[in-house]
Amino acid sequence: MSHRILLLGAPGAGKGTQSKKLAAEYGIEHVTTGDALRANKDMETEYGTPRSFMDAGELVPDPVVNEIVNAALKEADGFVLDGYPRNLSQAEYLSEITDLDAVIFLDVSEEELVGRLTGRRMDPETGEIYHVEFNWPEDEEIQERLVQREDDKEDTVRERLRVYRENTEPVIEHFRERGDLIEVDGEAAPDTVFERLTDVIEG
Ligand code: AMP
């Protein structure tokens, strides 16, 4: 069975949701640069704080994210990697520090991505993700404390998608050319997508 899984896809493709479920299913670590950076947004680095890049929808400099991933993978036996690599130089670094058992691309159309991202809300207490249209909590107390990620506002979403096309699509192409890429249709309900993922991982 594959225990070193790389999940690729655009912002909003469902990598976070699915990675969490995969980590629980297989008892492996969920390694996500996005969450790690959000938890350290105001950390001073020689390039400035992660916040200055993230709130604008830009990539945080490679040395900062490479170090996060290196430290996390050293401690993990099995893992699902989410949100990294986002450019070819990160992909090159990753290939130097680990081998992968499965590289999966979660495919979602761009129209769908914008709606998913701008409607996304997060519960700051539990980290749970909701959506104004597709997954609104019934509990009023939860409703009231939900927040929108700064970078889920429409202008920043457009910029993140531009950065994705420019920097991350070549990474997907790179794995496709190597013949390593498993493509999974990500445009379905989360449980359906999860089944598709476990099928390809166990298949
Ligand atoms: P995410 O939660 O994966 O959408 O990431 C949110 C933001 O964190 C991105 O828009 C980037 O600013 C930053 N970030 C996350 N992962 C990376 C990465 N691998 N390389 C550079 N920046 C990243």
Side-chain angles (χ1 to χ4, degrees), residues 173-194:
E173 243 354 274
H174 159 81
F175 285 109
R176 189 179 277 129
E177 278 165 16
R178 278 185 18 180
D180 284 347
L181 196 69
I182 305 168
E183 307 204 30
V184 168
D185 180 359
E187 265 187 60
D191 287 349
T192 308
V193 175
F194 183 65

Side-chain angles (χ1 to χ4, degrees), residues 9-12 15-16 32-38 41 50-62 64-66 68-69 82-87 90 117 120 149 151-152 156 159-160 163 168:
K15 300 187 299 297
T32 154
T33 45
D35 285 359
L37 290 166
R38 269 185 290 284
K41 262 187 144 177
R51 180 186 298 280
S52 52
F53 300 94
M54 296 170 78
D55 286 356
E58 307 301 332
L59 294 184
V60 173
D62 293 341
V64 177
V65 284
N66 287 346
I68 292 173
V69 170
D82 153 20
Y84 179 99
R86 265 180 152 91
N87 60 29
Q90 294 177 12
L117 289 165
R120 179 158 76 175
R149 266 170 56 170
D151 61 351
D152 280 344
T156 315
E159 178 60 11
R160 287 164 69 200
V163 167
T168 314

